[in-house]
Amino acid sequence: MTAAFIGIDWGTTHRRATLVGSDGAIVAERADGDGALACAGRFRASLEALVAGWPEASPALPVVMAGMVGATIGWQAVPYLEGGTPLSELPRHLVPVADSPPGRRWRIVPGWCLRGEGGAVDVMRGEETQLFGALHLLGRDASDGCYVLPGTHSKWVRLQAGRITELRTYMTGELFAQVRAHGTLAGVMQGARGAVAPDDPAFARGVRAMGGDRPPALSHALFGVRARVVTGELAPAAAAAYVSGLLIGAEWADARQRAVPDEPVRVIGEPGLAALHAACAAHFGRSVQALDARAIQVEAWRALANFGGSP
């Protein structure tokens, strides 16, 4: 199989590269810790080493990179596209890498910016590529709906007629990691081990706490975790699952205010996170369709491969 294209999801702390063949099949994949922070000052050398590590890959192959590689902390700051831009036009806006060697076809995918009422603004980098993949996988006529992309920063996106019409970001993953490692809740959350299970009763209890008609302020609910543990109302081993339920439940409680009846809700994420969102959705009377994140990303690379070599 002839290698024809390299797609890279280049995040803050991790990087995942996919070598795509001329027939659209996956030739090879590689993941490492060379994220944007680790590559500061040596992005070009890191990319060249990555390509050289694949015997199947010619140094002249087109490369398209998405994620924080295009942020101010990345290789080259790439401006955001505005919300009115059709998602299908993403390939037309790939930005050449300014310091790429002569003859190399290296491109960076721009992020997306949406502005709302009252000066509201939200942005994303990397997730737009997954949404582009979903658009191609499902087809424009079947892709309308709400998309949840959980992670360090959870993104909720609404697609209508191939355009991103709404974007809201929640710092769910980052908050969970921070409160578990630092501050008031760190001590009471240390008893938990492993990933949170979607059928954990403590997770469900946290979701219910945020799922009422008048959910509490999140900061108040989080302090309540300590209060429950020190008074014996909550076992320390259950604290992490309860906090996870609070945080994900807060996302769904907020999203409920803008929910469209009978609108499909699709989750693009790791299976464990997708399962937590499915469990949370059930509490709120909704169901979700879990899309394979890897298949979505690969579909995006296949579609972008046709444009990666454009001058």
Side-chain angles (χ1 to χ4, degrees):
M1 187 185 302
T2 303
F5 172 85
I6 297 173
I8 304 176
D9 178 14
W10 207 323
T12 303
T13 58
H14 294 85
R15 177 178 66 176
R16 179 177 294 276
T18 304
L19 186 61
V20 182
S22 55
D23 61 352
I26 302 303
V27 178
E29 293 180 289
R30 181 170 298 165
D32 58 35
D34 257 9
L37 294 178
C39 286
R42 60 177 190 89
F43 280 95
R44 175 171 163 174
S46 179
L47 176 57
E48 289 178 328
L50 172 70
V51 177
W54 271 325
E56 312 95 324
S58 162
L61 285 183
V63 178
V64 173
M65 299 163 277
M68 296 304 287
V69 67
T72 54
I73 65 168
W75 190 346
Q76 176 178 317
V78 174
Y80 293 102
L81 296 178
E82 293 295 329
T85 307
L87 192 56
S88 60
E89 293 186 6
L90 179 62
R92 294 178 47 198
H93 297 278
L94 302 182
V95 176
V97 175
D99 66 337
S100 58
R104 302 292 172 86
R105 294 164 291 174
W106 297 349
R107 304 287 187 270
I108 297 177
V109 180
W112 232 267
C113 174
L114 262 77
R115 304 177 192 277
E117 297 179 357
V121 60
D122 212 327
V123 296
M124 62 181 171
R125 284 195 188 275
E127 293 87 359
E128 74 291 323
T129 308
Q130 292 178 302
L131 293 167
F132 178 72
L135 185 70
H136 276 260
L137 195 66
L138 301 174
R140 175 177 167 175
D141 293 339
S143 63
D144 280 8
C146 177
Y147 291 79
V148 183
L149 299 95
T152 302
H153 296 157
S154 185
K155 305 288 183 179
W156 286 62
V157 181
R158 178 164 283 116
L159 286 186
Q160 293 179 323
R163 283 178 164 82
I164 299 171
T165 60
E166 185 176 340
L167 166 63
R168 290 179 76 84
T169 301
Y170 302 87
M171 296 176 64
T172 302
E174 182 174 350
L175 280 174
F176 183 82
Q178 290 294 323
V179 299
R180 190 173 194 172
H182 309 285
T184 300
L185 299 185
V188 300
M189 292 176 69
Q190 294 307 311
R193 293 291 182 268
V196 175
D199 59 352
D200 190 315
F203 175 78
R205 186 177 174 186
V207 172
R208 289 195 299 271
M210 302 304 295
D213 292 335
R214 297 180 64 185
L218 182 56
S219 60
H220 173 67
L222 286 171
F223 183 80
V225 178
R226 174 171 172 77
R228 284 173 167 79
V229 170
V230 300
T231 59
E233 295 292 325
L234 182 69
Y242 184 78
V243 169
S244 179
L246 290 178
L247 292 171
I248 296 178
E251 289 187 37
W252 280 85
D254 185 56
R256 176 175 55 187
Q257 302 177 45
R258 285 165 300 284
V260 176
D262 300 322
E263 177 184 50
V265 180
R266 303 181 176 101
V267 180
I268 304 174
E270 296 298 324
L273 287 175
L276 291 176
H277 275 271
C280 191
H283 174 81
F284 283 86
R286 301 296 297 266
S287 61
V288 301
Q289 177 188 3
L291 301 180
D292 187 313
R294 179 177 179 274
I296 290 290
Q297 189 68 67
V298 169
E299 185 64 26
W301 295 142
R302 286 171 177 155
L304 288 170
N306 297 322
F307 300 87
S310 301

